[in-house]
Amino acid sequence: MKNVFSFLFFLFSTSIFALEHAPHQGGIAVIELGKFSYKPKLFYKSKEAKVLKKEGKYLGVIGIGVDEKVGERHLVAVTQHQKKDYYFTIQKKVYPKEFITLTTNKHVTPVKKDLSRHYKEKRKAKNLIASFNKSLETNLDFVAPLTGRISSPYGQKRYYNKKPRSPHKGIDIAAPKGTPIRAAESGHVSICEPFFFNGNTIYLDHGEGVITMYCHMQDFAVKTGDFVNKGDLIGYVGSTGRSTGPHLHFSLILNQQSVDPALFIQEYYIAKP
């Protein structure tokens, strides 16, 4: 994508860090649930949500979509013998605009055949995102999937060939074609196939509604059904799908909402000129 920022992401040693309560559009709400006799179930918008145990305390971690409405929200934690109510307020956040020029309109105004394909792929991804896999559990301690400059940050309002499209629900990390891409966390390879807009795409399921997505890859190093550990090779940087140059689009999904991955990956800094 177009070079806009001069940020670098680096693969770093795994260490649990403090999740920050950032209840704005595109952020996360981190709610201290207090003490329970055992791990409670947390419900947000009538759907089960992520619960994390840290330092003997249970935390509820709620993903907030970039286009969610501001205002107060309610969630409930329950066990067999306890029930507690919690509240938080979604705050507004303004993101900048980004104008992208594509050489053709193939991925701007798709023909009927391509649009039909896109809807089929979208349904498949939506079914995965709506799942809540209890066989896996992550402590939300992610590593960067590769080293590279952030060419497009999360949340930008995008215009392709001057036509408005959905906000950017991930980060673009620019790197040379063929650069290895690593799993940001251990998980199952739930989808590994070419998509119309996203190009060669992988979805990793990390359990309890936590999913990462890797797009525009040149080649895959895994297949659907594989289990990968954090840091394992999963593919290589490319420019497939709707792309203007080699990069990785990386998204982090929490309770069906794509949130800013930078909230979960600590080490990035401004590059020297």
Side-chain angles (χ1 to χ4, degrees), residues 29-250:
V30 181
I31 312 297
E32 186 172 320
L33 304 179
K35 292 186 177 181
F36 285 81
S37 53
Y38 54 90
K39 184 177 179 178
K41 289 184 177 182
L42 183 66
F43 293 93
Y44 176 61
K45 296 182 178 179
S46 301
K47 296 181 177 65
E48 197 164 353
K50 173 69 181 175
V51 174
L52 176 68
K53 188 174 184 180
K54 186 177 179 186
E55 298 177 353
K57 297 179 181 178
Y58 289 108
L59 302 174
V61 187
I62 305 298
I64 303 169
V66 66
D67 45 12
E68 282 202 58
K69 293 181 179 180
V70 300
E72 189 177 69
R73 298 293 188 274
H74 171 240
L75 52 156
V76 181
V78 297
T79 66
Q80 186 176 355
H81 304 292
Q82 294 173 280
K83 178 179 177 181
K84 295 182 180 179
D85 295 291
Y86 306 86
Y87 299 87
F88 70 94
T89 300
I90 296 177
Q91 300 165 2
K92 184 176 181 61
K93 183 168 183 177
V94 178
Y95 293 94
K97 296 178 180 179
E98 182 180 24
F99 295 87
I100 300 168
T101 301
L102 300 175
T103 55
T104 74
N105 281 320
K106 176 181 178 180
H107 291 96
V108 180
T109 53
V111 298
K112 185 176 181 180
K113 180 184 71 172
D114 290 335
L115 205 55
S116 177
R117 172 189 170 187
H118 164 63
Y119 289 140
K120 183 178 179 180
E121 294 165 349
K122 188 175 181 179
R123 285 193 298 270
K124 186 172 187 176
K126 187 176 181 179
N127 288 337
L128 169 63
I129 291 169
S131 66
F132 196 83
N133 183 358
K134 295 184 179 181
S135 66
L136 291 173
E137 187 174 355
T138 172
N139 60 13
L140 300 178
D141 181 25
F142 293 87
V143 297
L146 77 160
T147 299
R149 176 180 46 78
I150 298 182
S151 55
S152 183
Y154 175 91
Q156 289 190 322
K157 298 176 181 179
R158 287 187 148 181
Y159 295 78
Y160 286 94
N161 294 355
K162 299 182 179 180
K163 296 183 182 295
R165 292 295 182 264
S166 299
H168 193 212
K169 296 181 179 179
I171 56 174
D172 288 347
I173 308 173
K177 186 178 292 186
T179 301
I181 298 168
R182 310 284 175 176
E185 171 63 299
S186 301
H188 282 123
V189 181
S190 296
I191 296 175
C192 179
E193 61 187 69
F195 276 39
F196 177 70
F197 284 113
N198 295 337
N200 291 335
T201 299
I202 288 176
Y203 284 82
L204 295 184
D205 185 356
H206 309 289
E208 298 183 324
V210 182
I211 294 166
T212 52
M213 180 177 71
Y214 311 75
C215 303
H216 308 299
M217 303 168 77
Q218 183 65 30
D219 295 298
F220 299 122
V222 294
K223 63 183 184 301
T224 300
D226 286 349
F227 181 84
V228 296
N229 292 307
K230 182 188 300 185
D232 281 355
L233 176 69
I234 60 172
Y236 303 91
V237 169
S239 187
T240 55
R242 186 167 65 185
S243 170
T244 60
H247 73 285
L248 172 70
H249 171 94
F250 176 61

Side-chain angles (χ1 to χ4, degrees), residues 8-45:
L8 296 180
F9 259 12
F10 284 90
L11 193 67
F12 57 91
S13 60
T14 60
S15 60
I16 298 176
F17 65 98
L19 287 173
E20 293 186 6
H21 182 56
H24 55 71
Q25 294 169 319
I28 55 173
V30 181
I31 312 297
E32 186 172 320
L33 304 179
K35 292 186 177 181
F36 285 81
S37 53
Y38 54 90
K39 184 177 179 178
K41 289 184 177 182
L42 183 66
F43 293 93
Y44 176 61
K45 296 182 178 179

